[in-house]
Amino acid sequence: VSATGIDAPRTVLLAGGVGGAKMAEGLAAVLPADRLSIIGNVADDQEFHGLWVSPDIDTLTYTLAGLIDRERGWGLAGDTTNALARLAALGEPAWMTLGDQDLALHIHRTRRRAAGERASTIAADVARALSVGPAILLPTDDVVQTRVRTDEGWLSFQDYFVRLRCAPEVRALAYTGAADAKPTAEALDAIARAELIVLAPSNPLVSLAPILAIAGLRQALAGSRVPRLAVSPLIGGATVKGPADRMMTALGHEASAAGIARFYAGLIDMLAIDERDGADAEAVRAAGAEPLVLPTLMKSAEDKAALARALIAAGQARRAAA
Amino acid sequence: VSATGIDAPRTVLLAGGVGGAKMAEGLAAVLPADRLSIIGNVADDQEFHGLWVSPDIDTLTYTLAGLIDRERGWGLAGDTTNALARLAALGEPAWMTLGDQDLALHIHRTRRRAAGERASTIAADVARALSVGPAILLPTDDVVQTRVRTDEGWLSFQDYFVRLRCAPEVRALAYTGAADAKPTAEALDAIARAELIVLAPSNPLVSLAPILAIAGLRQALAGSRVPRLAVSPLIGGATVKGPADRMMTALGHEASAAGIARFYAGLIDMLAIDERDGADAEAVRAAGAEPLVLPTLMKSAEDKAALARALIAAGQARRAAA
């Protein structure tokens, strides 16, 4: 892939969670930085100890900055937790592991939010300070938060995901604030100028749905005329990591490639599915998406770049055919 | 000194800075915990990175908790500065050294202040969490801040003290908020119940004056009928540490034992002065305070305890004579 327009389409990636960050890395490896914009998920955001923590955006930023703790997939490599130990000694709940360097970012973000700065501006400045090339965009500057209903009542996403380790059955999801959230001009502009739109192999229900729940963004994606391609987070009918498959089943979606295609109906033209799910290709087509069968497991840097190249090639082929 | 009422008078110490913390340690070593209340200085408080930092109160708390960095006289022994390094990388000013564990306390305090809790309650809870025995009281729950006028204009105290290392000449001091600050019920109650009042060998102008600038507190001290004793921060006519002597001269006070006695006129009955300043005893008496000549340098734990014992004995002797 060269840096020319045809081979390096202006790409918008919708990404959340660790799967989103991996896809971002793959695209960042094969596209010039000014050709890639990533719209992240803010609905995992939550206040801890009075500080505004934005786990998905930070995972994206740390991953693209090369600072991520690769073992865990989140947090900064080599970070310490001395402040957290002291917070615990002061009686603060400490189940959310926030490292010392990581806390610095939350302190910085919270100060600037309190001063009235846009969340987008802060995220962009942080990405720049950490030498991230691609644009990290927020879907909205407003507060949108995923809420999870379990048999014990409604929980915040981090309560469910980190504190309770996804143990409770999910009865319902809500994206509070999404109905009234205004999309950012930057996200809308990136979609308007995109030549390829990619939905990362993130959890559809808690990583991408909160972005798609913002009406203006959903409309922009629905109305786009460029190739729109999702990557299924399922491999062999199950998620590599995380509760997406269980959650889909629990909420009445089919945990299959076809179920993913139906979930994104009207928003995608193509769905990349893993070779192990090749038998689902026709069901994906019946659900309205052109199936793209290829290796989707991203372990190494090579895996990520190869998947990114294949997606770009598929998008370019579709554009050429249109 | 035993734990009986006569030998262990209910003591109130007014303390700020490192000198105040040392005096607190001495008194804490010789008095039962329930006989000692320390009214600290909040006028060094300042917001850093959106967090409310209370250096004098924390120095007092860390010292009495046995956690203080003895070399520096402030901060926690063995603390790391990983968050601060990251804050600096994000473009935040990092001249105020805030360790990781120390930051945890500021995070905790800021969260609770934002929730509307009294500063006093937070300080008391923190002291309890760190197993501090004596009561650490705040003079006020309101914000009082020392401001320093230099030839470059008005500065916050930490700007002058830490960032500029006391280099500029001090032209004036102000204690903003003091005129309207309400004393805490706990501080007034401690003074009302005290059998001995001690003013620590702190900087009179920036450690104790901001406490004394709170009208209700000053009146309570002025009206007290129990022995009130200050310890001069000068040894051989100069301060052991810090800019008190230079500052007194610059602001028209005499940097001498007599100058200290005049500064506290109406608020003290006795002034402890170091043996090296013994020649000033009569001048101190002329200024209205009974001079108490004894070794006042506090290097070792033994020095601190010996000074504390001598002060208590002098106070008890005066009570007995009254």
Side-chain angles (χ1 to χ4, degrees), chain A residues 124-307:
Chain A
D125 288 350
V126 167
R128 193 175 307 115
L130 301 188
S131 305
V132 170
I136 294 184
L137 307 179
L138 302 195
T140 179
D141 287 319
D142 300 325
V143 173
V144 174
Q145 284 178 307
T146 298
R147 306 274 297 166
V148 181
R149 189 160 69 79
T150 70
D151 290 339
E152 287 90 55
W154 285 96
L155 302 171
S156 77
F157 180 72
Q158 299 300 341
D159 262 349
Y160 161 77
F161 192 71
V162 177
R163 186 169 67 81
L164 301 174
R165 296 157 196 248
C166 310
E169 253 343 283
V170 174
R171 302 301 179 192
L173 290 171
Y175 313 109
T176 60
D180 300 319
K182 271 201 284 245
T184 59
E186 291 86 344
L188 291 179
D189 184 58
I191 293 169
R193 292 162 36 88
E195 293 163 330
L196 173 65
I197 293 169
V198 179
L199 276 59
S202 307
N203 183 320
L205 291 162
V206 297
S207 287
L208 298 195
I211 302 175
L212 303 173
I214 299 167
L217 265 181
R218 188 180 188 94
Q219 283 157 18
L221 291 166
S224 173
R225 291 288 154 265
V226 303
R228 299 163 308 171
L229 197 159
V231 180
S232 170
L234 304 175
I235 294 186
T239 45
V240 181
K241 200 182 164 185
D245 47 1
R246 242 178 75 214
M247 215 181 246
M248 289 191 76
T249 305
L251 295 176
H253 303 282
E254 193 182 290
S256 70
I260 300 285
R262 280 192 289 272
F263 189 80
Y264 292 134
L267 300 172
I268 60 169
D269 306 299
M270 294 181 279
L271 180 67
I273 63 176
D274 192 72
E275 292 166 334
R276 274 159 277 189
D277 299 306
D280 294 345
E282 285 318 304
V284 166
R285 194 182 304 279
E290 181 190 331
L292 198 64
V293 181
L294 74 187
T296 65
L297 188 62
M298 292 183 281
K299 292 235 167 192
S300 66
E302 291 69 34
D303 295 342
K304 294 168 197 166
L307 179 57

Side-chain angles (χ1 to χ4, degrees), chain B residues 1-9 30-32:
Chain B
V1 173
S2 81
T4 64
I6 266 302
D7 291 326
V30 302
L31 288 171

Side-chain angles (χ1 to χ4, degrees), chain A residues 49-51 67 76 79-80 82-84 86-87 89-90 92 100-101 103-105 107-108 111-112 126 129-130, chain B residues 49-51 67 76 79-80 82-84 86-87 89-90 92 100-101 103-105 107-108 111 126 129-130:
Chain A
H49 319 294
L51 302 175
L67 298 171
L76 288 151
D79 206 357
T80 47
N82 297 327
L84 192 71
R86 178 63 59 191
L87 282 165
L90 290 168
E92 300 264 351
D100 294 321
Q101 293 185 59
L103 268 173
L105 173 50
I107 291 168
H108 176 77
R111 179 186 67 70
R112 294 179 63 179
V126 167
L130 301 188
Chain B
H49 319 294
L51 302 175
L67 298 171
L76 289 151
D79 206 357
T80 48
N82 297 328
L84 192 70
R86 177 63 60 190
L87 281 164
L90 291 168
E92 300 264 351
D100 294 322
Q101 293 186 59
L103 269 173
L105 173 50
I107 291 169
H108 177 75
R111 178 185 68 70
V126 167
L130 301 188

Side-chain angles (χ1 to χ4, degrees), chain B residues 27-42:
Chain B
L27 288 166
V30 302
L31 288 171
D34 65 356
R35 294 265 148 179
L36 177 58
S37 299
I38 305 157
I39 302 177
N41 170 37
V42 297

